[in-house]
């Protein structure tokens, strides 16, 4: 492993590159402010550049972004911190809605316009197209040269983290890593409803059916649950339908109880990767969903409502059950219990299906990548920035950011203690500065959060500033019994049931046949599945769908997916 540049090496670099960089200002979307003096001034070894180094990017935001008055993505405590502490000037080529970013990047590519220095890309197809365009930098050497030991350790956990950005042995991006099991669902149930019904939490699908039947046929104080199970099958808005798999209102576990996950590619029955939606087990799963639909257990508009609408039925108490990740605890705290102070909710393990086992979708740790323009002349600035994010993500005791970024932003002092509860903020606005990062999230070991929450569940106290920050997110009145704190209990349950999480082994871009046939096949799949669930088509329609899917390009896609998998898993 290479060490950071020594002072002598830095001086040698200045001498070597000064003339060659005199006119080579970064033009890959960078402003001309990156002068020759900036290029020659390698402050990486010192931890701060003597002259400002510009890093251009783009901003893709949604309704979850919050800003203090007078601030924006272009100007906030994060951009100011990086300018003051690293002398890196982050500038935005544009800021737009997250669902428009891919289109704008494609327009820039089509017009041959200069791309920003660094872009956060989540769409695997766009990643592949950018790599194929020849406009992206192979960061392999830069990563080895500039990444800190802590940053390298994070990416050494699993070589598959790099799968989406590797081509011909070269790394064309830095994967953005999600938290481990970040969106793996649990069952969240109104336990006050269970108490009124004199029922226990379900351990099997049969138990669950009894609970849902009681909820839909019993007045629980605000009427009967209609429907009792809050799920959505609309999908997340991509070109290919992924309706049963979602981060909230998830339905993957219903199919997982039969041993498969729709829209996922896995080795369901042997050594070959196969498409989950055409497996024989799907037929029985669809028959069960059709039965639940007929009995009113799920919404009559389950194929039309998005996760927000589905979530709303649980927030208001109209539904007593939903499926969501560990952080559904915040929905319980901030919505369910505010709407009904007497409401009690707990997470439970996913119940076992007819296969005798539970199953659910697995959250892949790679969550997009930072991609770098090959024309960017200061890639060391990006790594200085990323190394700093690692320090910030898990700060040392006594460091300037151990409490948080800034009082009044992501924490306040209350009764001499740090509070991160939004209700304690004078303006009732707590911002999450990590949303402003180029990564859009903290840069930490994917396992760090779950490990800390498990520690708290077991009655241990925080021992690092990072752990303290997590601990401070929980109101004191909830901490009296650590085993009943939903956040910590959820972490234990999702970890205990880790084997139930079934992965999608295909994380690559669309194959050639997917590009030409994928949307038509996906549309046929969604229409067939929803017609069966709605009772508008017999269950045997599934057999016709499988036959057509295979003959209309599915078999060829299966060959291509397996070829991709073999290529990226060559040791």
């Amino acid at each position: 492993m290479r060490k950071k540049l020594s002072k002598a090496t830095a001086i040698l670099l200045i001498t070597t590159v000064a003339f060659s960089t005199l006119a080579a200002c970064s033009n890959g979307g960078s402003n001309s402010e990156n002068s020759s003096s900036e290029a020659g001034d390698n402050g990486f070894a010192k931890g701060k550049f003597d002259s400002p180094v510009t890093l251009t990017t783009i901003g893709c935001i949604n309704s979850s972004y919050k800003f203090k008055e007078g601030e924006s993505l272009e100007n906030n405590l994060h951009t100011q911190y990086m300018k003051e502490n690293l002398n890196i000037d982050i500038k935005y080529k544009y800021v737009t809605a997250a669902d428009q970013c891919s289109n704008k990047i494609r327009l820039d590519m089509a017009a041959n316009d200069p791309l920003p220095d660094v872009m956060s890309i989540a769409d695997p197809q766009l990643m592949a197209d950018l790599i194929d365009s020849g406009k992206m930098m192979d960061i392999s050497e830069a990563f080895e040269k500039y990444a800190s030991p802590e940053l390298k350790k994070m990416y050494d956990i699993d070589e598959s983290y790099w799968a989406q950005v590797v081509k011909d042995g070269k790394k064309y991006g830095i994967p953005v890593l999600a938290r481990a099991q970040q969106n793996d669902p649990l069952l969240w149930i109104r336990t006050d409803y269970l108490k009124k019904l004199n029922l226990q939490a379900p351990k099997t699908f049969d138990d669950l059916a009894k609970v849902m039947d009681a909820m839909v046929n019993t007045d629980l104080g605000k009427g009967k649950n209609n429907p009792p199970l809050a799920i959505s099958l609309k999908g997340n808005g991509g070109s290919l339908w992924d309706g049963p798999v979602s981060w909230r209102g998830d339905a993957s576990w219903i199919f997982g109880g039969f041993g498969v996950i729709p829209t996922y590619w896995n080795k369901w029955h042997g050594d070959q990767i196969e498409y989950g939606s055409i497996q024989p087990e799907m037929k029985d799963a669809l028959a069960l969903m059709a039965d639940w639909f007929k009995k009113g257990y799920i919404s009559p508009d389950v194929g039309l409502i998005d996760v927000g609408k589905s979530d709303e039925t649980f927030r208001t108490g109209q539904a007593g059950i939903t499926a969501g990740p560990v952080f559904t605890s915040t929905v319980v705290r901030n919505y369910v219990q505010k709407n009904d102070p007497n409401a009690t909710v707990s997470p439970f393990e996913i119940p076992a299906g007819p296969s005798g086992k539970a199953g659910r979708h697995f959250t892949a740790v790679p969550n997009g990548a930072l991609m770098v323009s090959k024309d960017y002349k200061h890639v060391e600035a990006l790594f200085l920035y990323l190394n700093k994010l690692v320090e910030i993500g898990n700060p040392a005791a006594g460091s300037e950011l151990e409490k948080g970024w800034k009082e009044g932003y992501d924490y306040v002092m209350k009764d001499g203690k740090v509070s991160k509860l939004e209700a304690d903020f004078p303006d009732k606005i707590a911002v999450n500065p990590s949303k402003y990062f180029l990564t859009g999230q903290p840069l930490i070991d994917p396992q760090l959060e779950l490990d800390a929450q498990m520690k708290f569940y077991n009655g241990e106290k925080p021992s690092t500033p990072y752990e303290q920050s997590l601990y401070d997110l929980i109101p004191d009145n909830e901490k009296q019994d650590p085993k009943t704190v939903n956040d910590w209990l959820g972490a234990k349950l999702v970890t205990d049931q880790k084997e139930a999480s079934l992965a999608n082994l295909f994380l690559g871009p669309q194959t050639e046949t997917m590009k030409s046939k994928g949307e038509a096949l996906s549309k046929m799949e969604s229409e067939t599945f929803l017609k069966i669930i709605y009772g508008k088509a017999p269950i045997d329609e599934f057999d016709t769908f499988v036959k057509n899917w295979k003959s209309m390009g599915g078999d060829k896609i299966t060959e291509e997916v397996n070829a991709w998998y073999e290529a990226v898993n060559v040791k």
Side-chain angles (χ1 to χ4, degrees), residues 372-425:
V372 186
S373 167
K374 72 174 184 180
D375 295 323
Y376 189 39
K377 305 303 180 185
H378 301 290
V379 69
E380 74 277 7
L382 172 61
F383 281 98
L384 186 62
Y385 170 87
L386 294 176
N387 293 342
K388 178 59 70 173
L389 287 193
V390 174
E391 292 179 26
I392 292 169
N394 191 10
S399 63
E400 60 177 329
L401 298 180
E402 69 170 331
K403 293 179 181 176
W405 275 81
K406 186 176 180 181
E407 186 174 356
Y409 277 73
D410 56 338
Y411 75 95
V412 292
M413 300 302 296
K414 182 180 180 181
D415 301 328
K417 295 181 179 180
V418 171
S419 173
K420 294 181 179 287
L421 302 178
E422 197 161 51
D424 292 336
F425 283 67

Side-chain angles (χ1 to χ4, degrees), residues 247-314:
W247 64 291
R248 296 198 327 252
D250 176 69
S252 70
W253 57 276
I254 301 173
F255 300 90
F258 291 83
V260 293
I261 303 293
T263 75
Y264 269 31
W265 294 85
N266 203 309
K267 298 178 181 180
W268 304 115
H269 298 113
D271 293 332
Q272 186 182 42
I273 294 179
E274 299 175 304
Y275 190 51
S277 297
I278 65 167
Q279 302 311 306
E281 296 88 343
M282 285 297 304
K283 188 173 183 179
D284 292 332
L286 289 170
L288 178 67
M289 289 201 71
D291 181 60
W292 286 4
F293 181 88
K294 183 178 179 180
K295 291 175 178 175
Y297 298 167
I298 57 181
S299 170
D301 298 319
V302 70
L304 298 175
I305 58 173
D306 59 19
V307 294
K309 288 291 185 182
S310 171
D311 212 28
E312 186 178 342
T313 63
F314 185 69

Side-chain angles (χ1 to χ4, degrees), residues 334-352:
N334 296 332
Y335 296 97
V336 177
Q337 291 173 335
K338 283 187 177 180
N339 290 330
D340 183 355
N342 296 316
T344 58
V345 181
S346 289
F348 296 93
E349 290 187 348
I350 295 297

Side-chain angles (χ1 to χ4, degrees), residues 109-270:
M109 292 172 66
N112 203 29
D113 288 341
L115 293 172
D117 299 324
V118 181
M119 298 178 288
S120 180
I121 306 296
D123 179 359
Q125 186 58 52
L126 181 55
M127 275 188 228
D129 292 343
L130 283 166
I131 292 170
D132 290 342
S133 73
K135 296 178 181 290
M136 295 295 101
M137 181 186 295
D138 170 16
I139 56 89
S140 306
E141 183 177 344
F143 183 86
E144 288 303 315
K145 185 174 184 180
Y146 296 118
S148 68
E150 293 78 16
L151 184 61
K152 288 179 179 176
K153 182 180 178 182
M154 209 177 295
Y155 287 89
D156 284 344
I157 294 172
D158 190 338
E159 187 65 25
S160 71
Y161 290 171
W162 296 95
Q164 289 183 309
V165 295
V166 169
K167 183 176 182 180
D168 299 329
K170 298 178 180 179
K171 296 173 179 175
Y172 288 97
I174 304 161
V176 175
L177 305 181
R179 301 187 299 273
Q181 295 185 266
Q182 177 171 299
N183 292 330
D184 293 18
L186 295 165
L187 219 56
W188 294 79
I189 305 178
R190 287 283 297 262
T191 50
D192 55 324
Y193 289 176
L194 288 179
K195 186 175 181 180
K196 288 179 181 179
L197 296 168
N198 196 28
L199 292 171
Q200 299 296 313
K203 295 185 180 299
T204 67
F205 278 18
D206 288 342
D207 295 340
L208 178 60
K210 291 175 184 176
V211 172
M212 292 192 294
D213 197 67
M215 285 181 172
V216 83
N217 289 300
T218 306
D219 189 331
L220 294 167
K222 292 185 177 181
K224 302 171 183 178
N225 267 199
N226 182 27
L229 179 59
I231 60 172
S232 167
L233 296 177
K234 182 179 181 180
N236 295 304
S239 60
L240 302 180
W241 183 66
D242 58 358
V245 178
S246 185
W247 64 291
R248 296 198 327 252
D250 176 69
S252 70
W253 57 276
I254 301 173
F255 300 90
F258 291 83
V260 293
I261 303 293
T263 75
Y264 269 31
W265 294 85
N266 203 309
K267 298 178 181 180
W268 304 115
H269 298 113

